[in-house]
Amino acid sequence: MRLDIWTVGLTIWISLLHVIASILFGAGFLLRRAAIPDIANEIAENDVLHTFDRPFKHAIIIVIDALRFDFIGGVDNEGIYGKYTEIFRTPYTLVSTMPENAAILRFVADPPTTTLQRLKALTTGSLPTFVEAGMNFGGGVTEEDSWIDQALRAGKRIAFTGDETWTALYPSLLDNFGSNTSAFVRPYESFNVWDLDTVDRAVEIDVSEALTHPSDWDILIGHMLGIDHAGHRFGPDTVPMNEKLAEMNIFIQNITSAIKGDEDTILFVLGDHGMDSKGDHGGDSAAETEAALFIYSSRSFIQKKPSGTQFETIDQIDFVPTFSLLMGLPIPFSNLGAPISSVFPTDRTLASARQIVGEQIANYREKQPQFSDNSIEMLLHLARKKWAEGNTLEAGEIYSIFQRTNLLACRARWATFDLTLMALGVIVFIFAVIASFAAYIGTVNPFALGAGSIAGLFIGIIWSFCGGPHVAVTTLFSASIGSVIAYTGAIVYNTRQSFSNISGPFVALLLALVHGILLASNSFVVWESHTISFFLASIGAVLAILAMRVQDKRSKTIALAQVVAFLALVRLAEYPRMCREEQADACVSTFYASEGSTNSSDISLIILYIIAITLPSVIRAFLKMSASDEGSAGPWIEFGLRSLLLLSAAHWTLDKQISNLGMDDKAMADGLRSGRLALAGLVGIVAAFIVPVVWNRAPPLCVRVEVRQKPVAVEIYGYANANGSLYLMIELAFFLLATVCSKPVGGISLAAMQYQVLALLELFDAIGVNENTIAIVPAVFGMLAQLHFFATGHQNTLVSLQWDSAFVFTDTPKFPLAHAGFLFNTFGPFIIAASSTSLVALYKTSPADYIVDRIRKAALGLMIYTGGIAGMSAIAAFVLRRHLMMWKIFAPRFVFAVATCLVVDVVIVITSLAGLRAANIVRRVFGRIRPTV
């Protein structure tokens, strides 16, 4: 038992090496922009008067989440409304009839186009970083100066209603509520993409209430979520989206009517980002970055547009200095935006605004020495000289050039790499592979590992005190390297054997290297699904050759049949796909019912039901080959698995029915949603809790014992696969969890993968895999999982993440249900592959077989592959860190590779314990009985 635990301990050690490598490399590569807490000084009253006759006393800011530009600006040069603007027509109607009072602007956001990062930009005027996209659902308090804080310092009363992200970023809204203001602060939960109406209806009521009591507030903020949720849930070209646009049209019309004639109030209606053709966002395509900004006031203040110009294009951060000047507030210290030219009535007032903003940016640059640039400083010096000479218009133009040049420089430098940390991370990734090879050769007393870690720890401390990096960095790195060196040295010394028994891990590493080296090419990353398919087809061809060499005729026939089935499913797995933006017209998305929808097709649901009925029989047929379809195989697979797969299919059927309902069918939608949650919850509870508990307490052995009287003998059917058939029940539980969390086409893909896993097990068994080559099988599983990652509707991009999977088990973002749904949806194929590693070790083994080494070696085979891919992606990111496509292609690929590696590591540790438990159960039941027949 002690050796069993040490076997799992080795996988935990390799996992820790992967974690440390990821932390070190990520800390150097995915740097966050340093926040500067400085506060801007009060703006001089004379400066305000130079830009406006008087600032506005009241401002209404309505954020319509995911308000894409064409939703209100889809009008051609002939004035013909587009399909969206025809519904949401109030803004353009006011612009066309009152051009001096209203304007629509193309509002371009910096990626990542996620709400939290956009709100930071809209309030501070700063730029986001790539790594902050992952904080969209867990970001902390904003540390930089913002117009929210400036308004509160100036005694402005802020009323807020809507998305709770605002109060997470600015708890000062809540801190000031009830103390020096009678305005309300009413945040609402924002992550439930199933709910299109609750937040919007609440905002509409709250805003209407505030409009009847304008003396209670100076700034009114409302953040609506319905359009964003309709996009995520249904897509932009759907009935629910049209209904939400119509609702927003009436809402904005009511606000403009309420403030008509009030020249001291200004209205801003804006989107924080757009959405792509599927209703998702997070990336940098034009549809995702081009939001809309609508400005309206009864005061005439909009500058007349030049002839031929319909809509001005501005950066989203330009809102910050413009809003501050309009309200007579200091511009936030870290602002990088420019004043919006069309809202300043004359060229002279625009020049004054540009001078104020330019000087604010100059103050910011003084706190950022890394941005020192003589050419930019010369622009600032020239602008100040012209301003001092009284040449204000020319000075304003130079200040504008200074702002734009500085913004470009900041965008180019928003990620400063720490090459030392990146290099240390790459080294630990490499040493993790060496450690895996050493662990594959044999086990050793943990003394060597512990002694090496402690020695490395002390070396790291000395290194840090001698001028090295931070002590946390040096100790993590040195302890990792020390443990690998000590352990590997002890293995080599104790075994004193040749390296002829490492052919398995060598092939696993070779697969990782061949796959990983292509990650240095942006084209191969973009078309990675096709590359993986080609690799697997090549592997299938090699397996066909090996199958032809099998001597036994029956085994050869079975092996060749499995090769054909494996290759056919590889080919079919290429069909369901979600295209990347970079693939353009060369790719057609087939994962959903149509290009502009996130609904599954009817045919995919029909196939899902067919699979639910037939797959259990197919799985039992595999067990029948080893006579292990006896005992508990019938009730557990034929009844249990089939019932749960049917419940999963029914869950997705209800989901589609909900998608087809309109806003008037809310009661029916709520009923269907409750039924859907009940079905998914039942599958989840059985697979995650009931199956493991029953499996452990009352093991479902797939064997049958017969006693013959003449001659006296005991026949045990299924003895030769007693270990594998028992563990298969646990592997199928992981398969069920991944299936219920995946969309219907994704469930079809995972069923195909489950078949391929069993087919490969039979195939490799016929070919004859021993303990020296067993690592090859899980490595192939890893590559197969990568293929089905794409077939389940994913890409290595943020925008392809299926966020609605967080609501498979819950209708609110509760931990851990929401996180589990998202995890099994995104990494389902890899979880199946990882849970199958112990199946590789146990398949076709009996109680008399020693399987501890097999479990360890099978686990290490997949860990070498996924760890190798993570390491190769880190090397690619290190070498190509200044590549034009770094943040669009290579950085997301690195993040997904590391996340996959860590998820696989965790599942392998869990399932290795389950595999050892299965072997111990079987051994305890049978003892050392050997079959006589």
Side-chain angles (χ1 to χ4, degrees):
M1 184 64 182
R2 184 179 178 183
L3 185 61
D4 294 357
I5 296 301
W6 175 237
T7 295
V8 178
L10 284 177
T11 60
I12 295 175
W13 172 48
I14 304 297
S15 301
L16 289 175
L17 291 177
H18 289 157
V19 170
I20 292 171
S22 303
I23 290 173
L24 291 175
F25 188 90
F29 177 59
L30 301 174
L31 288 180
R32 297 176 60 188
R33 179 179 53 82
I36 298 179
D38 292 50
I39 298 171
N41 296 323
E42 292 187 11
I43 189 170
E45 184 177 354
N46 288 338
D47 290 334
V48 177
L49 294 178
H50 286 161
T51 54
F52 294 98
D53 292 336
R54 67 186 189 281
F56 287 92
K57 294 180 181 179
H58 299 281
I60 303 171
I61 301 174
I62 302 298
V63 180
I64 300 179
D65 212 292
L67 182 65
R68 200 169 66 189
F69 175 74
D70 61 332
F71 287 177
I72 65 170
V75 182
D76 62 19
N77 292 329
E78 302 299 323
I80 305 300
Y81 287 13
K83 58 182 179 180
Y84 303 116
T85 310
E86 178 67 30
I87 302 171
F88 196 171
R89 59 191 303 148
T90 294
Y92 187 77
T93 299
L94 290 171
V95 169
S96 59
T97 57
M98 306 172 66
E100 294 183 353
N101 300 84
I104 294 176
L105 302 98
R106 198 181 302 270
F107 207 36
V108 181
D110 286 285
T113 47
T114 49
T115 295
L116 183 141
Q117 286 66 44
R118 294 296 84 232
L119 292 185
K120 281 186 177 180
L122 285 166
T123 51
T124 65
S126 59
L127 296 177
T129 61
F130 175 84
V131 70
E132 289 179 0
M135 301 164 57
N136 190 46
F137 305 103
V141 177
T142 301
E143 300 174 352
E144 292 180 301
D145 192 16
S146 68
W147 57 258
I148 293 250
D149 294 323
Q150 290 287 356
L152 292 174
R153 290 190 200 98
K156 300 286 187 182
R157 298 159 302 167
I158 300 179
F160 169 78
T161 176
D163 188 344
E164 63 186 352
T165 306
W166 285 80
T167 51
L169 288 173
Y170 297 103
S172 53
L173 287 172
L174 293 170
D175 294 340
N176 283 270
F177 175 57
S179 56
N180 62 350
T181 177
S182 56
F184 55 79
V185 178
R186 297 169 184 167
Y188 299 96
E189 189 271 317
S190 61
F191 192 38
N192 187 358
V193 297
W194 290 85
D195 188 348
L196 275 60
D197 303 318
T198 301
V199 176
D200 286 5
R201 298 287 166 76
V203 171
E204 290 168 6
I205 293 171
D206 293 342
V207 169
S208 297
E209 174 190 332
L211 291 175
T212 60
H213 301 88
S215 60
D216 290 346
W217 51 270
D218 299 300
I219 299 174
L220 172 61
I221 304 171
H223 190 143
M224 314 186 81
L225 298 168
I227 285 180
D228 178 69
H229 289 182
H232 283 301
R233 188 68 189 88
F234 305 102
D237 298 324
T238 57
V239 172
M241 178 62 77
N242 291 341
E243 291 174 341
K244 293 307 298 183
L245 289 172
E247 180 185 342
M248 294 301 102
N249 182 66
I250 295 173
F251 178 54
I252 299 305
Q253 187 178 50
N254 291 339
I255 295 176
T256 56
S257 298
I259 64 174
K260 186 176 182 180
D262 182 358
E263 295 192 354
D264 287 327
T265 300
I266 185 169
L267 168 67
F268 299 91
V269 179
L270 57 95
D272 53 344
H273 50 73
M275 64 175 67
D276 63 12
S277 60
K278 291 292 185 294
D280 295 323
H281 56 89
D284 62 353
S285 67
E288 295 167 86
T289 58
E290 290 187 1
L293 170 62
F294 169 64
I295 307 174
Y296 168 80
S297 175
S298 293
R299 183 194 304 183
S300 299
F301 70 106
I302 301 296
Q303 192 176 100
K304 186 178 180 181
K305 303 180 185 67
S307 59
T309 302
Q310 189 172 17
F311 301 113
E312 182 181 358
T313 299
I314 63 170
D315 290 316
Q316 204 170 74
I317 56 176
D318 293 348
F319 172 81
V320 174
T322 305
F323 177 80
S324 297
L325 291 171
L326 287 169
M327 297 298 294
L329 298 172
I331 298 171
F333 186 85
S334 299
N335 166 67
L336 299 172
I340 301 172
S341 58
S342 59
V343 304
F344 294 90
T346 66
D347 292 340
R348 188 168 297 278
T349 56
L350 176 60
S352 296
R354 287 172 171 173
Q355 187 268 341
I356 295 171
V357 174
E359 292 300 325
Q360 168 264 314
I361 293 174
N363 292 335
Y364 174 74
R365 286 180 61 84
E366 290 179 2
K367 295 287 186 175
Q368 297 280 7
Q370 70 270 29
F371 290 148
S372 178
D373 187 316
N374 289 334
S375 62
I376 297 179
E377 301 304 326
M378 287 178 62
L379 284 172
L380 177 61
H381 176 74
L382 181 59
R384 285 172 171 171
K385 180 181 178 182
K386 294 293 184 181
W387 188 265
E389 293 174 351
N391 195 344
T392 55
L393 296 182
E394 186 177 357
E397 291 295 334
I398 300 173
Y399 271 118
S400 178
I401 297 172
F402 164 73
Q403 180 273 332
R404 291 197 303 271
T405 307
N406 175 74
L407 181 59
L408 291 174
C410 291
R411 282 175 173 155
R413 293 175 176 267
W414 61 271
T416 303
F417 304 109
D418 188 324
L419 299 184
T420 300
L421 287 177
M422 293 172 69
L424 295 180
V426 169
I427 293 171
V428 176
F429 271 122
I430 294 172
F431 269 74
V433 174
I434 296 173
S436 300
F437 270 76
Y440 194 90
I441 294 174
T443 58
V444 70
N445 192 294
F447 172 78
L449 197 154
S453 300
I454 294 173
L457 193 66
F458 281 109
I459 292 173
I461 294 173
I462 295 172
W463 178 17
S464 179
F465 280 105
C466 291
H470 190 277
V471 66
V473 173
T474 57
T475 52
L476 279 176
F477 174 78
S478 299
S480 303
I481 301 302
S483 66
V484 175
I485 292 174
Y487 182 82
T488 305
I491 286 290
V492 174
Y493 178 80
N494 289 338
T495 56
R496 290 189 174 91
Q497 57 184 328
S498 67
F499 288 89
S500 60
N501 64 340
I502 62 169
S503 55
F506 178 79
V507 174
L509 179 61
L510 182 63
L511 290 176
L513 291 176
V514 172
H515 180 187
I517 200 169
L518 299 180
L519 302 182
S521 166
N522 58 317
S523 297
F524 276 110
V525 174
V526 168
W527 295 97
E528 190 175 356
S529 60
H530 290 63
T531 305
I532 294 297
S533 177
F534 173 78
F535 283 159
L536 288 171
S538 301
I539 291 172
V542 173
L543 293 176
I545 295 173
L546 295 176
M548 293 293 294
R549 297 181 178 181
V550 176
Q551 298 300 317
D552 181 75
K553 187 174 181 180
R554 180 177 180 275
S555 298
K556 179 190 290 187
T557 302
I558 292 174
L560 289 174
Q562 301 303 350
V563 169
V564 172
F566 172 78
L567 290 173
L569 291 175
V570 166
R571 184 63 177 170
L572 288 174
E574 291 186 35
Y575 176 74
R577 68 178 69 90
M578 278 291 295
C579 299
R580 295 176 62 122
E581 178 198 358
E582 300 87 349
Q583 294 171 330
D585 296 335
C587 177
V588 177
S589 294
T590 57
F591 187 76
Y592 293 110
S594 65
E595 284 275 2
S597 171
T598 56
N599 291 334
S600 299
S601 63
D602 293 333
I603 187 65
S604 66
L605 286 170
I606 294 172
I607 295 174
L608 200 61
Y609 278 102
I610 294 173
I611 287 174
I613 295 171
T614 59
L615 182 63
S617 298
V618 172
I619 293 174
R620 192 172 181 186
F622 274 102
L623 292 178
K624 190 173 184 178
M625 295 180 188
S626 57
S628 53
D629 63 328
E630 304 289 346
S632 299
W636 275 67
I637 295 177
E638 292 284 4
F639 175 74
L641 179 62
R642 179 173 288 122
S643 298
L644 293 174
L645 286 175
L646 286 170
L647 290 177
S648 176
H651 152 261
W652 286 111
T653 302
L654 294 183
D655 179 83
K656 181 173 176 60
Q657 293 304 313
I658 295 170
S659 302
N660 293 333
L661 295 176
M663 294 178 65
D664 295 334
D665 300 316
K666 190 176 187 301
M668 181 177 290
D670 290 340
L672 293 176
R673 190 173 295 115
S674 298
R676 181 195 65 81
L677 287 172
L679 293 175
L682 180 58
V683 175
I685 289 172
V686 172
F689 298 103
I690 296 178
V691 167
V693 170
V694 174
W695 181 88
N696 185 57
R697 295 298 180 90
L701 295 174
C702 302
V703 298
R704 179 166 58 90
V705 179
E706 286 188 0
V707 179
R708 293 189 308 183
Q709 300 298 328
K710 295 181 179 182
V712 177
V714 177
E715 292 184 345
I716 305 176
Y717 294 89
Y719 182 89
N721 191 25
N723 290 324
S725 59
L726 175 60
Y727 177 79
L728 178 62
M729 305 306 163
I730 288 295
E731 189 272 338
L732 290 175
F734 282 95
F735 163 70
L736 276 169
L737 289 170
T739 300
V740 74
C741 295
S742 299
K743 303 291 180 71
V745 174
I748 296 169
S749 171
L750 294 179
M753 180 181 176
Q754 182 65 45
Y755 180 94
Q756 288 175 301
V757 165
L758 295 173
L760 286 173
L761 289 175
E762 286 293 335
L763 178 57
F764 278 102
D765 178 68
I767 293 172
V769 174
N770 56 38
E771 287 192 6
N772 293 335
T773 57
I774 194 172
I776 299 174
V777 187
V780 175
F781 285 178
M783 189 169 284
L784 185 64
Q786 189 65 67
L787 174 69
H788 288 280
F789 171 77
F790 297 113
T792 51
H794 296 93
Q795 287 282 352
N796 294 300
T797 59
L798 290 175
V799 72
S800 72
L801 293 173
Q802 297 169 14
W803 297 110
D804 54 345
S805 61
F807 300 97
V808 168
F809 299 123
T810 177
D811 56 357
T812 57
K814 297 177 182 177
F815 177 84
L817 295 179
H819 301 71
F822 179 74
L823 185 74
F824 276 95
N825 173 276
T826 306
F827 300 103
F830 298 103
I831 291 173
I832 293 174
S835 64
S836 299
T837 55
S838 289
L839 187 60
V840 173
L842 297 171
Y843 200 69
K844 297 289 183 74
T845 64
S846 70
D849 295 318
Y850 181 72
I851 52 82
V852 174
D853 286 345
R854 290 174 62 88
I855 287 179
R856 183 187 78 249
K857 292 180 177 182
L860 290 170
L862 184 56
M863 295 178 86
I864 288 172
Y865 176 78
T866 55
I869 294 296
M872 292 296 290
S873 66
I875 293 172
F878 183 90
V879 174
L880 302 172
R881 59 189 179 274
R882 293 300 178 190
H883 193 282
L884 180 64
M885 293 286 105
M886 169 51 65
W887 303 110
K888 190 176 182 66
I889 294 177
F890 296 111
R893 187 62 186 91
F894 163 76
V895 170
F896 275 90
V898 168
T900 298
C901 177
L902 299 182
V903 168
V904 165
D905 287 351
V906 171
V907 177
I908 281 179
V909 170
I910 295 172
T911 54
S912 294
L913 287 170
L916 292 170
R917 174 63 177 161
N920 287 332
I921 289 173
V922 172
R923 190 181 301 115
R924 188 172 65 248
V925 171
F926 288 96
R928 296 189 177 276
I929 296 176
R930 294 180 182 276
T932 58
V933 293

